[in-house]
């Protein structure tokens, strides 16, 4: 049996998901939807698919699943439409920039009984998931402290930042998800601070480019996250988890294993350039996981609820940073 | 324009090449040929191809290229048949276990004017080819000394060893090719010695399981190769090239970048399990390279001549080991 | 010309300083002072020195310098006595557990015109000081973010903790000094949190064993410090400094450079066991630095003022942790 | 009880041994002997010793041990004189450039019943000796293959090379000792080849600057040694030992543990500059071992017999290289 799929968004992440799903046995890319018709046509042609508009794709009863890679402000509508049409949904993060709309999505997919998976691809990274498996196997005893380093090679255009929801929702959302996944615990209090160190225009846009977040969990565990929009040496994605019986680190991935000895240094490659390269395997594995869940009725590893929890942390961090104070999670939940 | 391809051999390496070529744009897998009809049928079905026998596949004028992954003793016949039918050929190493037949193949493909590429996949490994490019860019000055470490996780069945042509033709053939490629030079003299250290049955089969080879090139450069059929920690594929201005090392590839700190050690993964995993990317890249050469009339990186040169070195090494003496390359060439 | 020295405290750190100063040209260990006369006698004998009491040592005009390695509560008195006798002083950290007494010491040594150096030995560690020199040479541009990891192999006895002044004054005092030294900047605001994760008795003693501290400097730079009293794999002393043009990391030091490949892992040594081993070279270098400053009238790298600044940060961290809020440095300074 | 010691040779290695033995409890440096009186005087003064000539030092019955660091051609005479005077001897490698004289030394010290230790300091290197201990503990099963990399940062003056006995006696003598120590086995056959790749003047002096040696032991184990007089990146001292159950590597030692991330590379320090730095700890440990053997009647780890065995291998290698053939150890022993 073959599932026909519609991909929404023919940008770089859409192209990656399209190529990966085209390699899944039992999956056929039928439609590519994008307001940029040229981009849609190019991607469709590459995989023997057709161009459609939203209504056309959503209205086609043969489409069993949607893959949403369009801009963030369209996510919620497309999830709701998919649910209404009883189509399974894979949606890039974030679900939405507001918790209300994210909750509406969660309700809709639950009622429709469709699979809805959020694209926290890091949970599928071979290094990260191997580490998680070892934690679960008890290798380091009780997890106690998580240190997350998450730095981009360079800041996006200020215009992008202006509509991004702020660095905590745009960039740390992944790190907040890693925090919850790795510690298997929820935040009790959170403190966030930050600075603009790379480009004053980011401050003018009301955002920051460097952050330092500390979370204390309900069980008293500690998590520190440091992020920067710009690391001169590239994309830096590491974390380490200290447990009562040992420690596990997830290191960067290098393009090659060449080591060079010169007069002055012993050197190896800088990390993979950016997320498309670093998480290449993770993107392939998450799409396989999604269709495996769809085909065999298995639970997905990254749910809408996970997306909402990460968003809550991003909101708490934004508040903590703005008011320069410790925030208790749920303190505004009256 | 699409090239129709016949794959000979549906074993593990045939399956890898079939999957990789099925992903090439402009390439269609038409036939799978194997004396094991079940294996052929399974592989053909997976890629929407048909099962054929040798004559059927070779006799079909629409087949533009053959990919030969069958047992070594069939290589030369299939190359000759491909050349006779003006089909381009990708053939797994070695061309043949004898230099005479390899030479006949070289002549045939030259006369037929078809592309013929030998599967020395290591030349396409991202780490190895990046290192080579840096050597060519002059990073380490003149190459002077090459140290090659090449160890398998475990010996093949003795029955396999008995028909393998001996460890130098079966296993070191790749290392001899690396030697020629990395130093861009030819052997002048060669010394080989070895032992049976893992399994006495290998000695009974007339072979050894551990070797130490030293080559001095025409330009006075030195190369040492050490190989073992059995490394307890897995597949070990490293080399280092000392030059007048520095040194470059090619290290092993790990499945993940997890580092673990326990009471007693800081540890990371053992290398990728065996050649199918270690050279996964190389296999994909060499097939892409082959079809690129076929489609655009470009030269291939690994020719029949390369295959013959590696075979000459393997023969010299076998002689050196048997007679426990230094062998001059071409000393028997009357 | 030879300087005669009196060492106060014949415990493990006193023994290290005694051995190191005995190797300095132009320095002679004359007295060892310790309430434990046996320990004093043993150490004195080893270096051809004599046992004295405080008055005897302080009253001997031939003593040019004192080295204070006794318990924390004696530091201030011994500094004041040394200053009164115009003796140069090397004193282990901390100056005192209170800022008032530390200030009195600062005033006394300034008035006496004697050299007074505080034993922040980490500033003399070859790795740390090489890193600092590279930062100063501009290698990573402007420093922006400092991440400090500081974990002990195991908690001291609870009885010790009870009189230690708390984890921030006892353990993080070093990390606060590293922060000031590495960023060459002062704290503006500080947030600290923590937990008891290893031993409930520590909570009963009113302290914590795991901390997460975030400092934002006056120039907007960020620093995160994570500490634990107990790391199963040993003594973990690392930091990394992200700058506008690159990043520098200070890694752990291993006892040997042995790497082991087993069936399951590639492993190397855990870090040097504890501070006495890890900072062996630093202890030797700081004593050499002290006598070099004394002999040649050079400034010392770690002053009483540095000790006071570190203490201020420890007090702010204690307050932040106790009240679970962000603390502004100097907020209580009327 | 204190042993009075005479050091012969006030060059760089003499100065190192003098400083190390001055730190041994129960050891007193009494005489420094050197044809260069100024050098002798400077070293003597630094340690409160006196200058003497050979006869004066050897004739003083209070001298319990000699430490021979003078030029190679004086070693045998000084060992013989020490034995005649019943003084224990520590002598730098090699014992002599000829086996005959080395044998005479061995006989003399045996008859005199004095301790005679040869300065193969690598056996005392913390990394190497830890590795050896792990091999002996069975960690890698039966040792099977040893790969030794031994490269100097630069060639010595040609004038030195001319009188050095050739690269195999001058440089590889250490590697031959490592081979015997690590495999705990003796050579059966040996093959050596080499080239002049750095400086034609070395060829004119009748020597080579790059070598590749292969040894097959009596038990069938294999060893490959590669050496170069000039490595652009510094002093390279590594080896690895493959065993039936795993592998152990001894890596280089770095001056610091700083890692730098730049736009183009992740880099760490090049290895310690040369043998004086790399083997600093080893030199201290071997002198302590010598006096421990002297004081407590323990056997020494590196005997004259070891020195002779290494010399035999160097002679066999020289012969193999000159005649370009495999040499059987002892083939000339009539």
């Amino acid at each position: 049996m073959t599932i026909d799929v519609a991909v929404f968004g023919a940008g770089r992440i859409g192209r990656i998901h399209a190529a990966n799903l085209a390699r899944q046995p039992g999956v056929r890319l039928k439609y590519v939807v994008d307001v940029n018709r040229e981009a849609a046509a190019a991607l469709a042609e590459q995989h023997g698919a057709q161009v459609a508009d939203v209504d056309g794709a959503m209205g086609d009863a043969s489409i069993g699943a949607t893959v949403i890679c369009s801009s963030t402000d369209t996510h919620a509508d497309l999830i709701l439409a998919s649910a209404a049409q009883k189509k399974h949904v894979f949606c890039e993060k974030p679900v939405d920039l507001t918790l209300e709309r994210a909750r509406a999505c969660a309700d809709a997919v639950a009622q429709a009984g469709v699979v809805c998976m959020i694209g926290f691809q890091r949970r599928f990274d071979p290094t990260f998931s191997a580490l998680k498996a070892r934690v679960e196997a008890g290798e380091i005893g009780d997890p106690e402290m998580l240190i997350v380093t998450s730095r981009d090679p360079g800041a996006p255009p200020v215009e992008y930042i202006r509509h991004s929801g702020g660095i905590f929702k745009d960039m740390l959302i992944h790190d907040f998800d890693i925090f919850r996944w790795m510690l298997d615990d929820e935040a009790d209090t959170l403190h966030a601070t930050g600075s603009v160190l790379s480009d004053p225009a980011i401050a003018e846009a009301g955002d920051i480019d460097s952050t330092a977040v500390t979370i204390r969990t309900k069980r008293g565990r500690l998590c520190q996250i440091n992020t920067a929009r710009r690391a001169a040496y590239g994309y830096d994605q590491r974390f380490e988890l200290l447990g009562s019986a040992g420690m596990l680190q997830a290191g960067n991935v290098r393009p090659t294993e060449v080591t060079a000895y010169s007069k002055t240094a012993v050197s190896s490659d800088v990390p993979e350039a950016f997320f498309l390269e670093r998480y290449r395997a993770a993107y392939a594995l998450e799409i396989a996981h999604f269709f495996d869940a769809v085909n065999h009725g298995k639970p997905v590893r990254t749910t809408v609820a996970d997306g909402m929890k990460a968003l809550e942390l991003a909101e708490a961090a934004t508040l903590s940073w703005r008011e320069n104070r410790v925030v208790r999670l749920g303190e505004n939940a009256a």
Side-chain angles (χ1 to χ4, degrees), chain A residues 92-111:
Chain A
E92 271 302 306
K93 67 91 210 170
V95 182
D96 192 83
L97 292 180
T98 69
L99 272 170
E100 295 86 334
R101 297 213 75 201
R103 200 169 292 120
C105 291
D107 293 347
V109 296
Q111 276 198 315

Side-chain angles (χ1 to χ4, degrees), chain A residues 104-121:
Chain A
C105 291
D107 293 347
V109 296
Q111 276 198 315
V114 294
V115 171
C116 183
M117 176 170 159
I118 304 304
F120 288 120
Q121 88 283 0

Side-chain angles (χ1 to χ4, degrees), chain A residues 58-234:
Chain A
M58 287 291 180
D60 183 341
S62 77
I63 292 293
T66 62
V67 171
I68 305 175
C69 318
S70 45
S71 62
T72 295
D73 57 350
T74 66
H75 288 185
D77 283 344
L78 291 171
I79 292 174
L80 294 173
S82 301
Q85 298 293 335
K86 305 281 186 206
K87 297 180 197 315
H88 301 296
V89 192
F90 175 94
C91 182
E92 271 302 306
K93 67 91 210 170
V95 182
D96 192 83
L97 292 180
T98 69
L99 272 170
E100 295 86 334
R101 297 213 75 201
R103 200 169 292 120
C105 291
D107 293 347
V109 296
Q111 276 198 315
V114 294
V115 171
C116 183
M117 176 170 159
I118 304 304
F120 288 120
Q121 88 283 0
R122 293 187 197 178
R123 292 202 190 193
F124 297 90
D125 176 69
T127 290
F128 293 0
S129 54
L131 193 155
K132 171 70 172 170
R134 291 168 72 165
V135 173
E136 287 179 348
E139 183 171 328
I140 57 166
D142 291 326
E144 294 180 350
M145 226 190 255
L146 175 70
I147 312 299
V148 179
T149 298
S150 181
R151 302 171 188 157
D152 283 357
V158 171
E159 194 48 37
Y160 171 92
I161 286 177
R162 213 179 295 276
H163 299 95
S164 68
I167 192 169
F168 296 107
K169 285 189 187 173
D170 183 57
M171 187 172 165
L172 282 87
I173 193 99
H174 282 293
D175 305 306
F176 290 132
D177 185 61
I178 287 288
F179 150 73
R180 291 185 59 249
W181 184 47
M182 276 297 141
L183 285 181
D184 207 6
D185 200 351
E186 300 292 344
D188 182 36
T189 58
L190 180 150
H191 170 256
T193 185
S195 283
V196 174
L197 296 169
S198 68
D199 182 358
I202 293 174
E204 285 161 30
D207 206 355
I208 48 180
D209 58 15
S210 305
T211 81
V213 176
T214 300
I215 303 172
R216 194 174 184 283
T217 74
K218 294 190 170 161
R219 292 152 83 175
R221 293 157 176 178
L222 305 175
C223 170
Q224 283 193 313
I225 303 171
N226 73 81
T227 57
R229 283 282 195 191
R230 184 243 6 234
Y233 54 92

Side-chain angles (χ1 to χ4, degrees), chain A residues 281-306:
Chain A
Y283 287 120
L285 291 165
E286 73 173 353
I287 284 294
H289 174 86
F290 172 66
F291 285 106
D292 187 47
V294 165
N295 284 333
H296 302 99
K298 295 181 187 169
V300 292
R301 196 181 293 174
T302 51
T303 64
V304 181
D306 290 318

